[in-house]
Amino acid sequence: MAKTRSVHRCAACGWESAKWAGRCDGCGEWNSLVEELDVRTTASVAVGPPTSDPIRIRDVTDAGATTRPTGVGEVDRVLSGGLVDGSVTLVGGEPGIGKSTLLLQVVGSTARLGSVSLYVSGEESAGQVRARADRLGAIHDDLWLLAETSLPHILTALESIKPDVVVIDSVQTLHDPALASAPGSVAQVRECASRLVAHAKRHGTVVLLVGHVTKEGTLAGPRVLEHVVDTVLEFDGDRHHGLRLLRASKHRFGATTEVGLLQMDTDGLATVADPSGLFLADRVTGISGSAVVPTVDGNRPLLVEVQALVAQSSLSNPRRSAQGVDSGRLAMLLAVLERRCGLQVGTNDVYTLAVGGARVFDPGADTALALAIASSLSGQPLGDDVVAVGEVGLGGELRQVSHLDRRLREAARMGFRRAIVPQGTAVQVDGLQTLQAPTLRAAVALADVGGEG
Ligand code: TYD
Ligand code: MG
């Protein structure tokens, strides 16, 4: 016996409500509730045998999970070595960012390394995927392809091919005919994903799920799956730049600090050999409002240019714009520049950005961002051989940051000769002079961007 009832469910967080509301009570998202038919079986369900018995923890033998390197260096870096057998990874990102490209490259590579791999495409035809695989050099005897959206057929294929690695592109196109709701609905996405998770655990298969993230919330967002899967990877970047960033926001088998940097080219995604060089490639020296910060993303040092433009405002509430930098820290830095350094920015519009689609949310970027703002205000450029690093406190003091030696070595490698650093820095790097500043005011004076003589 099946009973059909209608519920309203939030496409963003899965919150369930009996009646429609403009705003989700669960996550506060607007216009995200969609009506769904929910079929629940009321017949008594066979429970089946237990999957495991309680056991003393020291008697557990299979503690070390087998890690399968994908062979795509940046993916392995983010996954702390590779994909773990029996694990489920969700790869989220906006449509068009390159998820299909990345995962086709991943299965092409795992097949080459000897894992039977299956790519299930629910969005493109077999011919389209083949054409793309040709271009990516992903054709291999151990790479299988299935253009299918029906979950039972996919599970049948898994039983017959017995792949080591499976990609489902995308989880939103899957549907289980036993459920009345439409493909892409929260109920379908959740049910299909949990069936695949069960398969992965039972057979030790590596499952990768592609999930589109849409701002409108019309498709069930990957957020409803985050707790079901072992690993959540976020793939993003500026679509107008070739650069793509891969990060783990959840990873049951390792750290989530590493960042993968990839570049979208005509023949797929390639490793960025020299990230700092890429970020600084278009840098124009001698203009005001620009500063370079040696930052660290994960374990990798990275030089990024931050820019600021301070302009006369005609608004009673001046504009504050932060692209790729933290808007909260920008507001704080403007207040510190005003109160602790005597620089009047209050009535101006302030635009700030990290160049090249980079994102710097590292507090170590405070000093460089503040110097860029001071430089734009005074019209005096920073020296083109200077980098600046340090967290700024509310008292206007510069504070130490992590991995300073790695940051400064990268700056020296990229040809910088001077570094403005917090007072008390002991790190010495060949070819790089450290200019110690106890406060932001002192840093402004050292960089000579304060405006007075
Ligand atoms: P795609 O992987 O289809 O994105 P998603 O699966 O996240 O929706 O890639 C989308 C874009 O990537 C598309 O606009 C074309 C571009 N692209 C390249 O620039 N080079 C390539 O080799 C490939 C395969 C795609
Ligand atoms: Mg795709």
Side-chain angles (χ1 to χ4, degrees), residues 93-105 119 123-124 132-133 135-136 169 210 212 235 239 244 264-269:
E94 284 178 32
I97 203 73
K99 300 179 295 299
S100 302
T101 308
L102 179 69
L103 291 178
L104 194 53
Q105 281 181 244
Y119 184 90
E123 298 186 347
E124 287 156 295
R132 183 181 293 195
R135 204 139 55 85
L136 299 174
D169 187 3
V210 173
H212 292 294
F235 197 42
R239 198 188 304 215
R244 298 286 182 273
M264 182 65 96
D265 290 324
T266 45
D267 50 357
L269 290 153

Side-chain angles (χ1 to χ4, degrees), residues 74-75 78-79 83 89-93 99 102-103 208-209 211 213 222 229-236 245-251 258:
E74 295 301 282
V75 175
V78 175
L79 290 171
L83 295 159
T89 301
L90 176 68
V91 182
K99 300 179 295 299
L102 179 69
L103 291 178
L208 294 138
L209 304 173
V213 180
V229 300
D230 300 300
T231 302
V232 179
L233 298 182
E234 284 162 11
F235 197 42
D236 65 9
L245 294 102
L246 186 70
R247 298 165 194 276
S249 61
K250 166 181 177 179
H251 190 32
E258 285 295 336

